Amino acid sequence: MKNYDIVVIGAGIAGLTSAIYLKRANANFAILESGKVGGQLSNLKEVENYPGFPKTSGEAILSSLEEQVKELGINIEKGSVQTILKDQVGFRVVSDFESYLCKAVIVATGISRNQIKLEGESEFLGRGVSYCATCDGSFFKNDDVVVYGNNHVAIEEALYLSNLVKTLYLVVDGEKLVGEEAEKLLSLSKVKPYINHKIQKISGDMFGVSDVTLDDGTVINVHGVFPFTGSKSSADFLRNLNPSMNGNFIVTDENMKTNIDGLYAIGDVRQKGLRQLVTAASDGAIAALDANKYVKNK
């Protein structure tokens, strides 16, 4: 059993930013990561909207982050959190390797994409296949793309892309598109819907995606494929605490506090409108400072 004031769960950009701020504040904390450090950062091939980096990659940003973390002497502990228990004293964070007693917890575990496992989906991830229109839409200006999905996320992302691309092919797995702004999306002249169809295959070459094949054999020539079949949070270990949720995402206030005293959520696991590197880093900084203030006042 280890004792800390604060435990950060997740070492993506949000969690690492929290760790940096906590370290500089001389806080007593631990940061846990179950998989690879950096989270989704290593999957971002090109980044053009992160301040101070006109054009870079997720790997480059991660490399700088890891160097900064190393220089500060921050040790990232391995462990997959199984559950968190709370009593009047604080929290008990139970991982597959160790248990931690602490006064505050910062959850930074991100989201898990519901991959359809289409043929070619993994092969062309980052080379035409993307799960974030606001992240990668600018790479497809005046180009042709396909959006695959039948939910509000697919509609929102398709509307965003419609302001950038030449033609947007909308493949809907169902008899109709379901969502509040479905009618608005379908009314756009550049949107070409394929209702009640499925994508069977994504094809391409060394340069990236070239086309998709539908279940009826139709081939659509595109350079971008955006599958939006939904996403889920990576915070099932919070089931005993039962924090306030909006769908699969944790609800917080502007200081990243949940409705549970001492529990914070940051980055993509938190309910918010914009999921970007810069907002994840901002979440991390805010939570670190507020959590540190919280434990000092206990």
Side-chain angles (χ1 to χ4, degrees):
M1 187 82 68
K2 296 183 177 180
N3 285 272
Y4 294 96
D5 284 339
I6 302 168
V7 170
V8 180
I9 305 172
I13 189 168
L16 290 175
T17 302
S18 270
I20 290 169
Y21 273 74
L22 289 171
K23 184 68 176 182
R24 291 178 63 84
N26 200 32
N28 177 29
F29 74 98
I31 177 169
L32 313 179
E33 174 56 56
S34 62
K36 60 183 179 182
V37 174
Q40 296 298 320
L41 267 175
S42 58
N43 294 329
L44 302 178
K45 304 303 179 184
E46 294 184 50
V47 179
E48 293 186 334
N49 55 4
Y50 194 72
F53 296 81
K55 187 172 184 178
T56 185
S57 67
E59 286 283 4
I61 295 173
L62 176 57
S63 178
S64 295
L65 266 174
E66 288 182 313
E67 183 178 348
Q68 185 176 10
V69 166
K70 184 178 179 180
E71 288 180 353
L72 287 170
I74 297 171
N75 177 47
I76 301 172
E77 298 191 30
K78 286 296 181 183
S80 176
V81 175
Q82 305 300 306
T83 190
I84 300 179
L85 306 173
K86 189 178 190 303
D87 57 26
Q88 294 181 344
V89 177
F91 298 90
R92 180 180 178 185
V93 179
V94 181
S95 81
D96 49 357
F97 294 129
E98 184 64 83
S99 290
Y100 303 82
L101 294 179
C102 59
K103 299 175 183 177
V105 175
I106 300 175
V107 179
T109 47
I111 56 177
S112 299
R113 297 293 180 183
N114 292 339
Q115 286 196 0
I116 317 169
K117 298 183 179 178
L118 300 169
E119 183 178 348
E121 182 179 359
S122 297
E123 179 184 353
F124 292 103
L125 180 61
R127 297 193 299 124
V129 174
S130 171
Y131 305 112
C132 180
T134 53
C135 304
D136 299 326
S138 61
F139 300 124
F140 300 96
K141 287 182 180 178
N142 300 315
D143 208 338
D144 299 329
V145 304
V146 61
V147 169
Y148 186 29
N150 193 17
N151 52 48
H152 75 281
V153 175
I155 293 172
E156 289 177 0
E157 299 287 78
L159 285 170
Y160 178 86
L161 286 167
S162 69
N163 295 311
L164 301 171
V165 303
K166 179 182 177 183
T167 306
L168 190 150
Y169 297 96
L170 181 64
V171 180
V172 178
D173 181 8
E175 295 184 358
K176 65 177 182 178
L177 182 62
V178 179
E180 292 182 2
E181 296 191 89
E183 187 175 339
K184 176 181 177 180
L185 178 62
L186 293 173
S187 71
L188 299 176
S189 60
K190 64 172 62 177
V191 174
K192 310 299 180 185
Y194 284 82
I195 306 297
N196 207 18
H197 281 284
K198 296 180 180 180
I199 293 178
Q200 296 284 24
K201 180 182 179 182
I202 301 171
S203 302
D205 53 29
M206 61 183 294
F207 300 107
V209 170
S210 62
D211 59 75
V212 298
T213 303
L214 304 187
D215 50 357
D216 64 353
T218 300
V219 177
I220 306 175
N221 296 318
V222 293
H223 290 128
V225 181
F226 292 82
F228 295 116
T229 57
S231 56
K232 59 183 179 180
S233 72
S234 301
D236 289 342
F237 55 82
L238 292 174
R239 57 190 174 275
N240 288 325
L241 299 180
N242 194 28
S244 178
M245 306 285 288
N246 185 343
N248 290 313
F249 301 98
I250 304 169
V251 176
T252 73
D253 65 12
E254 62 182 9
N255 289 318
M256 309 302 138
K257 293 179 181 179
T258 71
N259 63 314
I260 296 173
D261 200 31
L263 180 67
Y264 296 78
I266 60 177
D268 287 351
V269 76
R270 182 175 81 88
Q271 173 59 38
K272 57 181 180 177
L274 184 63
R275 291 181 168 81
Q276 296 278 277
L277 297 180
V278 67
T279 61
S282 173
D283 289 356
I286 293 169
L289 294 178
D290 202 87
N292 195 39
K293 185 195 311 183
Y294 170 80
V295 300
K296 288 182 180 302
N297 292 330
K298 276 189 73 69

